[in-house]
């Protein structure tokens, strides 16, 4: 897979693309990442990439010409243009589903918009897709583009060492992860749940599934509504939740803030 990124801040991508899973995938030749400076496609001595908004109002708007020229130039380097995706808070929300969908493309071209805006004709006549990474404001599409690349690349064959991590995530069927522990089994008197050191694999699998269900019900009931549960699991969860003593996550986090340096 080849991913081109159009940005006004190419420096942002250097170290993330050298480190981590993305870096390894690029080193191994599983993906090709090419970052382009939109300013290189601007005209004139001043290389202007933005301008005032017609009709007035605050904030600059990205001009259409440099973006069209950049996309057309990058597209001409290959027979397939690939999907052109604008990163914008107005886009469809990035989910695991969307990431998997994008991972099926041979090529992606990600355009990092600036928060204040992009000329509407870019949306109408240049872009195939628009993606947001969540309902909060970022000053530009650069970090969202990094998020998209990471989420997409993990789906490509050979990128994850064992393949098992992704398998297990999708097997969990849209539930939150169960609690994990590593050595020592006793850390400052806080012991790892007995079942995990028991060696009973069936018991461990059952405990983990239950913990995933409970955690999802407590923290993300919206996810639970869409998850695939057996009738038995739904029933078990309902009974277990009726006597659940754990406070909602917001409450738990609020009380953690009152911890002192020693407690
Ligand atoms: Cl894709 N861009 C910006 N500027 N802000 C965002 C976003 C994208 N997704 C969430 N917030």
């Amino acid at each position: 897979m080849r991913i081109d990124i159009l940005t006004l801040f190419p420096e942002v991508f250097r170290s993330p693309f050298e480190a981590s899973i993305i870096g390894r995938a690029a080193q191994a030749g599983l993906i090709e990442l090419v970052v382009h400076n939109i300013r290189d496609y601007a005209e004139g001595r001043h290389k202007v990439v933005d301008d005032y908004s017609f009709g007035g109002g605050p904030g600059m708007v990205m001009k259409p010409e440099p973006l069209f020229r950049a996309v057309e130039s990058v597209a001409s380097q290959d027979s397939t243009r690939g999907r052109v995706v604008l990163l914008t808070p107005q886009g469809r929300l990035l989910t695991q589903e969307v990431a998997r969908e994008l991972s099926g493309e041979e090529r992606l071209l990600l355009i990092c918009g600036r928060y204040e805006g992009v000329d509407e004709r870019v949306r109408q006549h240049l872009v195939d897709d628009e993606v947001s990474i969540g309902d909060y404001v970022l000053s530009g599409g650069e970090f969202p583009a990094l998020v998209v690349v990471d989420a997409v690349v993990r789906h490509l064959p050979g990128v994850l060492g064992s393949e098992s991590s992704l398998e297990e995530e999708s097997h969990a069927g849209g539930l939150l992860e169960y609690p994990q522990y590593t050595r020592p089994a006793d850390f400052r008197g806080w012991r790892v749940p007995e079942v995990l050191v028991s060696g009973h694999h069936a018991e461990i699998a059952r405990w983990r599934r239950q913990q995933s269900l409970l955690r999802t019900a407590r923290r993300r009931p919206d996810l639970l509504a869409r998850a695939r549960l057996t009738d038995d699991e739904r029933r078990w969860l309902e009974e277990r939740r009726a006597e659940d003593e754990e406070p909602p996550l917001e409450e738990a986090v609020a009380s953690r803030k009152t911890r002192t340096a020693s407690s």
Side-chain angles (χ1 to χ4, degrees):
M1 180 180 214
R2 172 169 165 169
I3 306 177
D4 290 276
I5 297 178
L6 304 188
T7 174
L8 289 169
F9 305 100
E11 327 79 70
V12 168
F13 296 90
R14 305 257 186 268
S15 84
F17 282 179
E18 280 162 24
S20 78
I21 285 186
I22 305 178
R24 245 196 302 135
Q27 285 280 293
L30 296 167
I31 48 163
E32 189 182 354
L33 295 164
V34 189
V35 180
H36 310 265
N37 192 338
I38 295 167
R39 200 170 290 280
D40 293 342
Y41 298 89
E43 301 209 60
R45 206 157 53 81
H46 297 290
K47 303 277 177 202
V48 178
V49 292
D50 54 9
D51 206 339
Y52 299 98
S53 184
F54 270 123
M60 301 295 277
V61 176
M62 284 175 89
K63 290 167 66 61
E65 305 96 312
L67 289 174
F68 273 80
R69 287 183 62 196
V71 170
E72 283 157 6
S73 162
V74 169
S76 72
Q77 294 172 16
D78 212 321
S79 54
T80 47
R81 186 177 96 138
R83 195 188 308 208
V84 178
V85 182
L86 177 66
L87 281 312
T88 163
Q90 300 157 39
R92 57 190 181 127
L93 273 183
L94 181 67
T95 59
Q96 191 69 356
E97 197 59 38
V98 170
R100 193 174 310 133
E101 178 193 326
L102 295 179
S103 75
E105 298 281 345
E106 224 165 281
R107 293 189 58 167
L108 286 179
L109 200 165
L110 307 181
I111 303 177
C112 304
R114 51 185 292 171
Y115 170 68
E116 297 96 296
V118 174
D119 187 284
E120 189 64 16
R121 289 161 292 190
V122 168
R123 259 190 194 91
Q124 293 170 326
H125 305 293
L126 188 65
V127 155
D128 304 312
D129 200 351
E130 300 177 48
V131 169
S132 162
I133 63 162
D135 293 334
Y136 40 81
V137 173
L138 300 171
S139 39
E142 281 72 20
F143 292 119
L146 285 171
V147 169
V148 168
V149 170
D150 193 295
V152 166
V153 161
R154 298 176 81 264
H155 289 278
L156 302 179
V159 168
L160 294 189
S162 55
E163 305 289 310
S164 64
S165 309
L166 193 66
E167 271 274 298
E168 207 154 288
E169 280 166 36
S170 55
H171 271 178
L175 294 176
L176 298 184
E177 281 264 21
Y178 47 78
Q180 306 237 47
Y181 297 84
T182 186
R183 290 185 288 182
D186 185 329
F187 172 66
R188 298 185 176 182
W190 299 311
R191 293 196 52 80
V192 168
E194 215 50 53
V195 59
L196 296 181
V197 292
S198 68
H200 292 109
H201 297 295
E203 280 296 301
I204 291 169
R206 203 168 84 99
W207 182 85
R208 285 178 165 170
R209 177 73 180 174
Q210 291 178 340
Q211 291 296 314
S212 274
L213 291 167
L214 265 178
R215 184 160 280 191
T216 309
R218 289 165 177 159
R219 298 184 174 207
R220 295 293 305 275
D222 58 312
L223 292 183
L224 195 65
R226 282 181 286 133
R228 293 187 309 266
L229 271 62
T230 66
D231 290 346
D232 277 353
E233 285 173 333
R234 297 248 178 228
R235 232 168 300 143
W236 175 84
L237 193 54
E238 204 173 309
E239 281 168 28
R240 184 65 187 65
R241 286 283 285 156
E243 55 191 66
D244 198 2
E245 309 257 289
E246 184 159 306
L249 184 58
E250 282 76 8
E251 241 172 79
V253 169
S255 73
R256 283 178 207 169
K257 285 187 192 133
T258 62
R259 274 178 190 162
T260 60
S262 58
S263 73

